[in-house]
Amino acid sequence: GDGPTRLAIADLARPDALPANLATARYAQVAALMLQLTDPTMLATGDSGGCVLDQVVRLVRDEATRHGITYLKLAGQQIVAATGHEGDAEDAMPRMAAFAIALRESCSDLFDDRSRKQPAQRVDFFIGLDFGSCFGGNLGSDQPTSAESFDQRPFNLWGGCIETAGIMAGSAPPGGIQASESAYGGLRLDFLFRPRGSFYQPGVGDARTYVLAGQL
């Protein structure tokens, strides 16, 4: 036949930064970020430097490396980042917040530059933050691991703070970073916030949200 099907794994992190073998489990202290981008048509436009989405992916990877963020996943127009599940989670949320601020500045510079050159091609972005528990583990372990199939370990995180980070991004102001009450609680002494409002979190009830403005 045509040979084995090559699987596309949407891990953006370096393979050597991924967990070697983490069992499916509940991870209690995970800092999660969701970056959402608008307008799929504009994301596909570009120049010699690549399409807009490709440029975003590259800047996300660069900032993740600078801030020690080891978990990055691309799914459509969304990028999920997480840290704290690897072990010592003491500084997970401050590193993630610093990463979010760097992403906001980098994305703003990229999109503002494009808007100046092509005013009709505006891409908006939204960032959400949460801190808490989620599930994760190596999935698809019965799949072949040769170079013909895939060469990155399919570790995945889901539920809990990953889902809430997505909710925060979904209602964030354009170009802004919206943090959950849990993320705010771990960051309020070292970062500057503005109250945003509240949302209903299933199983928890009404919870307040905040916009991350900067680092003190």
Side-chain angles (χ1 to χ4, degrees), residues 42 63 193:
M42 293 302 103
E63 294 297 349
F193 289 88

Side-chain angles (χ1 to χ4, degrees), residues 19 28 68 168 189:
M168 293 295 97
L189 298 180

Side-chain angles (χ1 to χ4, degrees), residues 71-85:
Y71 180 93
L72 291 174
K73 299 276 185 175
L74 172 66
Q77 297 165 224
Q78 300 179 334
I79 294 177
V80 180
T83 190
H85 58 285

Side-chain angles (χ1 to χ4, degrees), residues 36-187:
Q36 293 185 355
L37 303 163
T38 65
D39 203 325
T41 301
M42 293 302 103
L43 291 175
T45 62
D47 47 34
S48 59
C51 72
V52 173
L53 184 56
D54 180 61
Q55 295 176 50
V56 172
V57 165
R58 283 186 277 135
L59 69 84
V60 168
R61 294 176 87 170
D62 289 345
E63 294 297 349
T65 299
R66 292 190 186 98
H67 293 88
I69 307 299
T70 59
Y71 180 93
L72 291 174
K73 299 276 185 175
L74 172 66
Q77 297 165 224
Q78 300 179 334
I79 294 177
V80 180
T83 190
H85 58 285
E86 313 94 331
D88 185 4
E90 182 177 350
D91 67 340
M93 200 63 239
R95 282 192 293 109
M96 187 60 79
F99 173 57
I101 292 171
L103 275 190
R104 182 183 63 195
E105 300 308 313
S106 296
C107 287
S108 294
D109 289 345
L110 173 63
F111 298 147
D112 287 348
D113 183 61
R114 289 192 60 83
S115 293
R116 284 191 292 269
K117 297 175 181 177
Q118 299 172 314
Q121 296 187 1
R122 177 68 190 180
V123 177
D124 284 322
F125 67 94
F126 311 84
I127 299 175
L129 290 177
D130 189 38
F131 181 71
S133 65
C134 65
F135 295 98
N138 291 95
L139 305 178
S141 58
D142 60 334
Q143 297 292 325
T145 57
S146 65
E148 289 77 16
S149 52
F150 57 81
D151 55 12
Q152 293 187 4
R153 295 178 290 271
F155 179 79
N156 192 58
L157 294 170
W158 68 91
C161 62
I162 304 295
E163 183 176 350
T164 302
I167 295 172
M168 293 295 97
S171 58
I177 305 167
Q178 183 165 239
S180 67
E181 193 164 4
S182 178
Y184 166 77
L187 296 169

